[in-house]
Amino acid sequence: MTHRLQNTMVYLLLTIFAALILYPMFYTFTSAFMTPDEASAYPPKLWPSSFYMGSIIAVFKLVPIAKFLANSLMVSLIIMVGQLITSSLAAYALPTFDLKANRSSLPSLWQP
């Protein structure tokens, strides 16, 4: 096979696998905007006939998602500030203080 045909076959195969992986996410997103009758219909529709927000509003009334998101944001901000403080202190200490370790071993301290 020629190089161009091989590339075409590889990209075709990758496109098929990407479609297989992305279809459930696409269907889940579109079914969130379907009416309950459309979402439970057989065969399933790919696209909602109208933009229905009732399901999303019901979820926000039932589950305190906004509070969960606010808690996650607060934890993330606290961790980020803590990382900045400790990293800044370590960045000051490493070049300033004379460590007992050899200077050639300092780059090994920077590896995660």
Side-chain angles (χ1 to χ4, degrees):
M1 282 201 279
T2 65
H3 184 65
R4 183 177 174 130
L5 184 59
Q6 279 183 323
N7 281 345
T8 304
M9 294 301 287
V10 167
Y11 283 120
L12 181 66
L13 190 65
L14 288 173
T15 303
I16 290 170
F17 282 130
L20 287 174
I21 290 171
L22 292 176
Y23 173 74
M25 289 185 277
F26 170 77
Y27 181 72
T28 302
F29 180 76
T30 57
S31 66
F33 297 108
M34 292 180 186
T35 62
D37 291 334
E38 281 181 329
S40 61
Y42 184 81
K45 291 185 173 183
L46 291 179
W47 201 257
S49 60
S50 64
F51 191 69
Y52 178 71
M53 292 289 291
S55 302
I56 296 172
I57 292 170
V59 167
F60 272 99
K61 286 181 180 177
L62 185 65
V63 179
I65 294 177
K67 186 174 184 176
F68 295 161
L69 291 174
N71 287 344
S72 297
L73 180 67
M74 181 65 80
V75 169
S76 298
L77 288 174
I78 290 171
I79 289 172
M80 183 186 67
V81 168
Q83 285 285 329
L84 282 172
I85 290 171
T86 56
S87 298
S88 300
L89 293 173
Y92 172 76
L94 281 176
T96 304
F97 299 125
D98 187 27
L99 300 173
K100 293 181 181 179
N102 189 357
R103 288 283 179 193
S104 63
S105 66
L106 274 180
S108 66
L109 295 175
W110 299 328
Q111 293 178 357

